[in-house]
Structures are given as C-alpha cells and as structure tokens.
Amino acid sequence: MMLADAFMAIADPNRRHILEELRRGPKTVTELASGLPVSRPAVSQHLKVLLDAGLVSAQAEGTRRVYSISNTGFVQLNLWLDQFWTV
C-alpha cells in the first residue's frame, strides 16, 4: 500500500461512508449502494480505489463478492499517523 493512495482514497466522502459501513461488518456492493446516493457501478468504482489502496479486501461467495476492511492497510496508515502524536 502506498500512503498517498490511501490518503487519496479516504479523501472522497462516498469512500469514507463505505469504510464506515464496512467497519460495521462485511457487505456486498448492493448492500453498500443502498446507503449511498450513487449507483452500484459507482460503488464498485469506489471499492476498486479502496482495494488498490489496500484499505479493503474482497472475498468471493458464490456469484457475489463480499467486501470488508483490510486491517493490514489501516495498520500501515495508522503507523504513519502515529508518528505525529509522539513528537
């Protein structure tokens, strides 16, 4: 994960909303789209950005993909941010 990608990914309010929803538990694109004023294809595009940034992971379950928070991506982001609290 590149930190610049992670910061770019969380800069968008729709992606932050998706992350907040996924924090509550794994969800499909359809479940995520129901809480956003954007289409399912737009949610899929947002998820791709989050996947590329290492903040989200996807698991195939039959014909659908279930998305969840990637702890590894957030640990790296958190480690970078934590350095500013120890000064």
Side-chain angles (χ1 to χ4, degrees), residues 21-74:
E21 287 298 313
L22 292 176
R23 186 175 55 88
R24 295 180 182 95
K27 293 187 173 39
T28 64
V29 171
T30 302
E31 291 169 326
L32 290 166
S34 69
L36 286 168
V38 296
S39 66
R40 283 194 327 221
V43 171
S44 292
Q45 290 175 347
H46 285 303
L47 284 165
K48 172 140 178 40
V49 172
L50 293 168
L51 281 163
D52 290 347
L55 299 174
V56 168
S57 61
Q59 178 75 29
E61 288 186 5
T63 60
R64 56 190 201 146
R65 295 182 72 173
V66 179
Y67 295 87
S68 59
I69 293 293
S70 171
N71 291 332
T72 305
F74 276 96

